[in-house]
Amino acid sequence: MEKSYDYLIAGGGIIGLTIARELKLRYPHLQIGILEKESGIAYHSSGRNSGVLHAGFYYTEDSLKARFTREGNQKMTAYCLHKGLKINQCGKLVVATNEEEVRGLEELKRRGDRNGVELQWMTEEQTSRIDPSVKTYKKALYSPSTSTVDPLEVCNAIYQEIVSLGVEVLFETAYKGKQDATILTNNGELRCHYFINAAGLYADRIAKDFNYGDDYTIIPFKGIYLKYAKNKEDVETNIYPVPNLANPFLGVHFTKTVDGTIKIGPTAIPALWRENYRGLENFKLKEFFSILYYEAKLFITNSFNFRRLAFEEIKKYYRPGFINLSLNMVKNIDRRGFGQFARPGIRAQLLNKKTLELVSDFVLEGDEQSMHVLNAVSPGFTCSFPFASYVVDEIEKKKQIPELNHQLKMKV
């Protein structure tokens, strides 16, 4: 039988889950469904990320990321504490290795001040009091509001909440296309008054069926973390280098997880298909040629120094070299103490096909019938609660169907 929903969402990651939650809290009587092609929620980026709740000082003040990261950190922290979820409120140190990187710290402090994010200057001595293993040049920045959570635990808590509110999640049900208000899936047809695309790695593909996202394509980057197996004491907080602010990656850093585990990473290795986790797993020939085409263009034009980025990232497959990148930030780490690589993740990074630039901010496109989250990369997990509210606000602005608007108001 053909089912019908007021809102139908593609994607059971953190963005799809929080949008469903926001809709249900605003409109408790509406029928809301989520399409998820996997057998469970948060199977891809949302369940494979570092779990860091960022503070919001990396981003320029006019960006959506700056707007949502600080608020998202506060809301996600409050949610975890309220629900009794694991959270490690250990903070973060951003360290420098030379005078140029000290100037980079100063730029981060300016951004943090403009974004209303607490950042504290630390001398080398003060830094050592927070974490005796940290090594920095002259000074460092301390972010007390940075913490880590278990991303799968958080997603499962939100999933349980929305199901209890009446949201229907259709597992192993993949979007296959559309015909007017009918959404085609591998498990039959579904009708919806409004469609929301939060499909992550495949968001650009789905958007094109609705005549959106023509300027963009997803370029996947593989992120890998290496666990420190010797102990859980050699590093006590998250330790980050000064990033290259010209690209959206933060560099290899130390993460202190909710259970105290230490890991370094991630990589940002250009992947050759969208779910290129291991070997030929999930290989799709059409994706391979499409992604290879754009990566070749980036290599030839050397847009945003792609050649250097690609070479540097591919070298991280060499384990000793990968470990060496982390050693500049610490004094007392046993290079032989590292164990296994963690489960890899894929970053769904949006590329502007016209300018050949990586899009660093959130991108949202839509109208009175559909809305498409084209770019929700890091710190999308941290931003998810306020970003979901923003998406629903934008949907309300776009909708031009008086009858349905009237129904929504009456049902609330």
Side-chain angles (χ1 to χ4, degrees):
M1 180 184 294
E2 185 181 87
K3 292 185 178 181
S4 181
Y5 298 91
D6 294 293
Y7 288 93
L8 186 61
I9 303 166
I14 188 69
I15 300 300
L17 294 171
T18 50
I19 291 173
R21 178 179 181 270
E22 182 68 24
L23 285 167
K24 203 64 179 175
L25 291 175
R26 293 194 195 190
Y27 313 121
H29 301 294
L30 293 188
Q31 296 298 311
I32 298 166
I34 297 178
L35 302 179
E36 173 50 59
K37 69 184 179 71
E38 307 295 351
S39 58
I41 51 97
Y43 189 87
H44 295 282
S45 297
S46 298
R48 297 169 181 260
N49 71 70
S50 67
V52 174
L53 297 186
H54 293 278
F57 55 85
Y58 289 111
Y59 320 110
T60 56
E61 61 183 325
D62 58 344
S63 66
L64 292 174
K65 284 185 178 181
R67 177 176 167 184
F68 297 139
T69 306
R70 183 186 66 172
E71 183 183 353
N73 178 293
Q74 295 167 351
K75 289 192 171 183
M76 186 67 80
T77 299
Y79 187 83
C80 291
L81 294 173
H82 175 70
K83 293 284 187 179
L85 306 179
K86 295 188 291 290
I87 183 168
N88 187 350
Q89 296 178 284
C90 60
K92 174 166 76 175
L93 284 165
V94 186
V95 301
T97 60
N98 53 47
E99 198 66 46
E100 182 181 354
E101 291 190 355
V102 169
R103 291 193 290 273
L105 290 179
E106 291 167 352
E107 173 59 24
L108 292 179
K109 184 65 166 68
R110 283 192 290 271
R111 292 187 180 191
D113 290 345
R114 289 195 293 265
N115 296 341
V117 176
E118 181 184 1
L119 283 176
Q120 301 169 10
W121 282 114
M122 294 281 158
T123 64
E124 293 179 77
E125 182 182 351
Q126 291 170 322
T127 299
S128 295
R129 290 182 199 150
I130 294 172
D131 191 332
S133 67
V134 172
K135 179 167 60 177
T136 193
Y137 176 79
K138 289 187 176 180
K139 55 185 178 179
L141 281 175
Y142 179 60
S143 167
S145 61
T146 299
S147 57
T148 53
V149 299
D150 180 337
L152 275 175
E153 184 183 44
V154 171
C155 288
N156 276 310
I158 298 170
Y159 166 71
Q160 294 294 337
E161 180 185 4
I162 64 175
V163 168
S164 72
L165 294 172
V167 174
E168 186 174 2
V169 183
L170 307 173
F171 290 116
E172 297 182 335
T173 304
Y175 171 94
K176 294 295 184 182
K178 68 176 283 284
Q179 291 177 352
D180 299 322
T182 299
I183 301 300
L184 310 178
T185 80
N186 58 310
N187 287 325
E189 298 180 354
L190 303 170
R191 290 187 62 82
C192 63
H193 289 295
Y194 202 93
F195 180 78
I196 301 171
N197 170 15
L201 284 162
Y202 289 92
D204 61 326
R205 288 271 191 88
I206 293 175
K208 287 175 175 59
D209 287 350
F210 295 78
N211 297 316
Y212 286 103
D214 288 341
D215 291 342
Y216 304 107
T217 189
I218 293 290
I219 296 293
F221 288 84
K222 185 184 296 188
I224 303 173
Y225 284 89
L226 181 63
K227 293 181 179 180
Y228 188 64
K230 183 177 180 180
N231 59 48
K232 295 183 178 182
E233 292 76 43
D234 282 355
V235 167
E236 298 180 11
T237 189
N238 298 295
I239 308 170
Y240 280 59
V242 177
N244 175 3
L245 295 175
N247 69 51
F249 309 114
L250 297 180
V252 172
H253 50 264
F254 285 88
T255 299
K256 187 79 168 174
T257 68
V258 287
D259 67 355
T261 298
I262 301 162
K263 60 183 181 180
I264 61 168
T267 61
I269 300 166
L272 295 175
W273 56 95
R274 295 179 191 232
E275 295 176 7
N276 179 200
Y277 295 115
R278 288 187 178 91
L280 293 175
E281 183 181 52
N282 301 314
F283 177 75
K284 294 181 177 66
L285 187 63
K286 186 176 180 181
E287 283 183 16
F288 172 77
F289 282 119
S290 174
I291 290 166
L292 192 63
Y293 168 76
Y294 283 107
E295 289 181 351
K297 285 187 73 171
L298 293 174
F299 192 87
I300 292 167
T301 61
N302 200 30
S303 181
F304 61 88
N305 290 315
F306 179 79
R307 279 181 225 150
R308 180 180 177 183
L309 173 67
F311 285 133
E312 288 180 349
E313 292 299 321
I314 289 170
K315 285 192 294 186
K316 291 175 184 174
Y317 275 125
Y318 178 59
R319 181 187 170 101
F322 187 33
I323 293 171
N324 283 340
L325 291 173
S326 70
L327 299 182
N328 290 332
M329 299 182 286
V330 290
K331 303 170 186 173
N332 303 312
I333 281 285
D334 182 356
R335 66 170 61 244
R336 297 167 298 181
F338 288 92
Q340 300 297 315
F341 283 100
R343 192 170 63 145
I346 301 288
R347 178 188 180 107
Q349 176 63 57
L350 202 65
L351 174 75
N352 187 312
K353 294 189 292 187
K354 293 182 177 178
T355 63
L356 293 181
E357 294 175 333
L358 298 183
V359 182
S360 61
D361 208 1
F362 296 116
V363 175
L364 197 63
E365 293 185 357
D367 56 23
E368 71 277 5
Q369 296 179 326
S370 68
M371 187 64 69
H372 305 270
V373 181
L374 295 172
N375 203 43
V377 290
S378 180
F381 192 95
T382 303
C383 296
S384 55
F385 282 133
F387 180 66
S389 179
Y390 169 75
V391 171
V392 177
D393 287 344
E394 291 300 302
I395 289 170
E396 291 176 348
K397 292 176 187 177
K398 296 285 187 181
K399 290 179 74 168
Q400 300 295 324
I401 308 173
E403 297 83 5
L404 185 54
N405 283 333
H406 177 70
Q407 290 174 22
L408 294 179
K409 292 175 185 176
M410 293 297 290
K411 288 181 179 180
V412 173

